[in-house]
Amino acid sequence: MARLPRPYLPGCAQHIIQRGNNRAACFYEEADHSVYLAFLKEAAATYQVAIHAFVLMTNHVHLLATPQNETGTPRMMQALGRRYVRYFNHTHRRTGTLWEGRYKSTVVDTETYLLTVYRYIELNPVRAGMVEHASEYPWSSYQHNAVGKEVQLITPHAQYQALGNTPSERQANYRSLFKGRMLDRDLTEIREATNKAWVLGSDSFKRHFEVVSGRRAIAGKRGGDRRSAAYKVAMDQGL
């Protein structure tokens, strides 16, 4: 079955995942993280993409971003990917590809899923067993959104701004979102939507997307896919 084109809806945030080839590491040392974020900041500014949340894992990256136009995210990811690969190969004396094909992305329903995706992204290191709490991981936007550390890359989303009237109030209310575990249902929906280029949102949001975009919000049904061993492994690994 032909893959769906990456979804886009004007004004809507996108959840983006880019993985290392064959799940190999794309960050070897601390300097790599800093360089990647610097390159991301420049590319986001150049192509008018607001970055709301991020996490840099050992072998993949998650971003929550809102582009100003349909070409913003593809151009940003292409420029960022090429520039970082040149840096990474030169620095670590390697050759060849670094990324696993095309990045994955989905459109996020602001009203029902946006803050859930914030949380999903910043809890990745906790789910991976790298830290016990999101605040302990240095390479995520939790440091900005919840702790108050200045990260110039970040542009707060209006939904985040609505959490309070002052930075300290917003940060406190944001931290309260991280109490307890995420629902398995939410984890599965976010993973499926992003990996399969489906739309992440309520039924009414999906209908609106289909009317505006002229394409399906989700793929047609396929028997047996969700029950296959390969599918379960993929979902388990999709932190």
Side-chain angles (χ1 to χ4, degrees):
M1 181 177 64
R3 63 189 175 193
L4 290 171
R6 295 191 185 99
Y8 169 78
L9 199 61
C12 284
Q14 301 174 349
H15 177 217
I16 302 161
I17 304 176
Q18 187 159 42
R19 294 188 174 90
N21 191 44
N22 292 323
R23 298 192 180 273
C26 41
F27 302 100
Y28 285 174
E29 52 193 43
E30 288 194 4
D32 297 339
H33 299 80
S34 298
V35 168
Y36 183 93
L37 292 177
F39 290 169
L40 173 59
K41 182 175 182 293
E42 292 182 22
T46 298
Y47 297 106
Q48 297 181 294
V49 181
I51 306 297
H52 312 303
F54 69 86
V55 66
L56 309 186
M57 302 294 284
T58 304
N59 62 4
H60 66 285
V61 174
H62 289 262
L63 305 174
L64 180 63
T66 302
Q68 289 295 309
N69 55 65
E70 189 167 4
T71 64
T73 297
R75 289 180 175 179
M76 178 187 75
M77 295 303 292
Q78 182 181 62
L80 169 64
R82 288 177 175 175
R83 190 177 181 190
Y84 183 72
V85 169
R86 287 197 298 270
Y87 154 81
F88 192 81
N89 284 353
H90 175 76
T91 300
H92 300 294
R93 299 183 179 182
R94 68 183 295 278
T95 59
T97 187
L98 178 63
W99 305 117
E100 184 181 76
R102 297 179 5 135
Y103 68 88
K104 310 289 187 179
S105 69
T106 187
V107 169
V108 180
D109 182 348
T110 300
E111 295 298 322
T112 57
Y113 280 91
L114 187 84
L115 290 175
T116 302
V117 176
Y118 264 93
R119 188 180 177 206
Y120 173 86
I121 288 173
E122 294 174 358
L123 281 174
N124 255 254
V126 177
R127 288 194 298 275
M130 301 171 73
V131 294
E132 292 187 3
H133 191 272
S135 61
E136 300 169 12
Y137 194 72
W139 304 111
S140 89
S141 51
Y142 189 91
Q143 298 297 322
H144 179 96
N145 294 325
V147 180
K149 179 181 177 181
E150 180 66 21
V151 179
Q152 294 184 354
L153 166 68
I154 295 297
T155 299
H157 192 280
Q159 195 82 347
Y160 173 86
Q161 296 280 55
L163 291 173
N165 295 319
T166 65
S168 59
E169 185 179 355
R170 286 191 288 271
Q171 291 156 20
N173 288 332
Y174 187 77
R175 289 194 298 271
S176 70
L177 300 176
F178 285 74
K179 295 178 181 179
R181 295 180 56 188
M182 290 189 67
L183 297 175
D184 289 342
R185 178 195 64 200
D186 290 339
L187 295 175
T188 298
E189 288 182 355
I190 293 170
R191 290 167 182 165
E192 284 189 332
T194 308
N195 286 317
K196 297 185 178 183
W198 295 351
V199 171
L200 180 62
S202 65
D203 289 342
S204 61
F205 179 81
K206 291 175 182 176
R207 288 193 294 270
H208 172 70
F209 170 84
E210 291 179 341
V211 170
V212 172
S213 69
R215 58 148 280 188
R216 297 191 308 273
I218 63 173
K221 295 181 179 180
R222 296 179 65 190
D225 189 0
R226 291 175 60 87
R227 294 185 292 274
S228 71
Y231 174 88
K232 292 177 181 179
V233 170
M235 289 299 100
D236 289 342
Q237 293 177 342
L239 296 171

